[in-house]
Amino acid sequence: MNPFHYHRPKTLAEAQMLFRDAESPRFIAGGMTVLPSMKARLLDAENLIDLSKIEALQGIEARSGRLRIGASTTHATIANSAVVRQMLPALATLAGGIADRHVRNRGTLGGSLANNDPAADYPAAALALDAQIVTSERTIAAADFFTGLFETALTEAEIITAVDFSLPDRAAYTKHRHPASGYAIVGVFAARFGQHWQLTLTGSSAYGAIRLMAFEKQLVKGATPDGLDGVDIDDLPILEDPSFPIAYRRHLIKLMAKQAVAMTIDDVSI
Ligand SMILES: Cc1cc2nc3c(=O)[nH]c(=O)nc-3n(C[C@H](O)[C@H](O)[C@H](O)COP(=O)(O)OP(=O)(O)OC[C@H]3O[C@@H](n4cnc5c(N)ncnc54)[C@H](O)[C@@H]3O)c2cc1C
């Protein structure tokens, strides 16, 4: 790891000013991606600007029928929050299933969304729940925020301050974890709004998290979870990977989707 300067601003304005004035700057939140990447020399930053002490990036609050979570909130805090568990238990489950205790205690919601790893869990929830990504400059709909593998709509010096989730009638997240990292090989988030579902996939798509429209269409027509077996998903842009062949991933996608949908239907148990 190359040497770097470390800054710990207390306000958003200070963080942005530091970023604009510094040579080769990088924001850091939990550091769970930034630090291993720097150690492996995949990333070089001369100035790390730590966002974790900025008050405006903290907090969990229910407002106007939505749930707003500060960007620097850790996965462990989300998993254990009484408010999240009551209002959006599927998100608490998702956060509690990320990696291990150490990563959950450091890694943050904002860092995960900004990084947009194609196997990360939160992007699936953000898309399925029509999240609004609130930044230092504007508010971006999740559908416009994720622009490709490890790519987002964030511009230079733009900081995610909070994520605002809509609240469905029921939601569930099912994940087949990578045995070493815990990252999703296949993760499916299902959100039911009345008789309408939004289903998203993470871990297996060549474009990062995506909607599973073919399943959504069948569900609106009244399909049961088992009815998803017959849906053609050959068009999905699935990642090629010798460890997890496409046929295996397709099988898991249907399995995870059926389980997630069943968990959103009151009278279906799995
Ligand atoms: C061993 C291991 C296992 C993991 N397993 C999983 C898993 O199972 N599921 C999963 O979803 N994730 C997993 N992760 C990822 C981890 O949970 C973090 O979410 C991820 O590393 C990024 O969050 P962070 O807060 O650590 O961000 P950092 O590493 O600090 O930053 C990541 C990127 O986001 C930028 N950034 C950070 N905060 C902001 C902000 N507020 N606004 C704008 N840009 C920002 C940084 O500049 C950087 O580019 C794993 C990581 C490790 C090391």
Side-chain angles (χ1 to χ4, degrees):
M1 187 187 252
N2 290 325
F4 57 87
H5 299 285
Y6 173 75
H7 311 267
R8 195 188 263 174
K10 290 261 172 47
T11 65
L12 263 185
E14 196 190 335
Q16 289 188 292
M17 200 162 63
L18 279 164
F19 191 98
R20 291 194 175 109
D21 290 347
E23 281 295 311
S24 173
R26 173 71 69 158
F27 292 126
I28 181 168
M32 292 294 96
T33 293
V34 166
L35 294 178
S37 308
M38 285 177 73
K39 274 188 174 172
R41 305 212 170 187
L42 297 168
L43 172 72
D44 200 13
E46 284 177 38
N47 286 278
L48 286 185
I49 301 161
D50 186 347
L51 302 175
S52 65
K53 296 293 175 222
I54 301 176
E55 194 68 35
L57 271 57
Q58 301 288 347
I60 298 178
E61 136 184 58
R63 55 153 82 174
S64 315
R66 295 177 71 93
L67 182 66
R68 177 171 285 211
I69 304 182
S72 288
T73 311
T74 64
H75 313 326
T77 301
I78 293 173
N80 296 318
S81 155
V83 177
V84 181
R85 284 176 174 224
Q86 190 203 333
M87 301 192 69
L88 196 43
L91 192 71
T93 304
L94 176 153
I98 291 175
D100 53 41
R101 234 173 248 277
H102 309 284
V103 173
R104 288 197 293 276
N105 280 331
R106 298 289 317 168
T108 67
L109 173 61
S112 175
L113 294 184
N115 196 45
N116 194 19
D117 188 302
D121 298 298
Y122 290 119
L127 264 188
L129 295 169
D130 290 329
Q132 302 282 314
I133 319 296
V134 185
T135 79
S136 47
E137 323 298 325
R138 55 194 168 140
T139 296
I140 312 169
D144 301 324
F145 182 82
F146 304 109
T147 54
L149 299 187
F150 298 101
E151 298 284 340
T152 70
L154 289 174
T155 56
E156 275 236 328
E158 187 170 11
I159 298 175
I160 303 174
T161 57
V163 185
D164 201 286
F165 295 95
S166 67
L167 296 173
D169 295 322
R170 294 271 294 260
Y173 182 60
T174 50
K175 158 161 105 161
H176 190 75
R177 298 162 58 95
H178 190 285
S181 66
Y183 273 112
I185 296 167
V186 170
V188 174
F189 198 99
R192 178 168 69 77
F193 302 86
Q195 289 312 305
H196 159 81
W197 275 262
Q198 298 206 150
L199 253 71
T200 51
L201 168 70
T202 189
S204 278
S205 146
Y207 300 117
I210 53 169
R211 290 270 293 274
L212 290 167
M213 304 267 195
F215 288 156
E216 292 174 4
K217 283 185 191 145
Q218 286 308 308
L219 290 165
V220 144
K221 289 185 199 158
T224 60
D226 282 342
L228 300 183
D229 271 332
V231 177
D232 183 352
I233 56 169
D234 287 358
D235 284 351
L236 283 179
I238 296 179
L239 282 169
E240 283 267 19
D241 173 351
S243 306
F244 306 104
I246 288 182
Y248 175 65
R249 287 186 190 263
R250 279 199 190 119
H251 170 74
L252 281 177
I253 291 168
K254 286 198 173 169
L255 194 65
M256 296 294 107
K258 283 163 53 177
Q259 288 180 357
V261 170
M263 289 159 76
T264 67
I265 302 174
D266 303 329
D267 55 357
V268 175
S269 58
I270 54 162

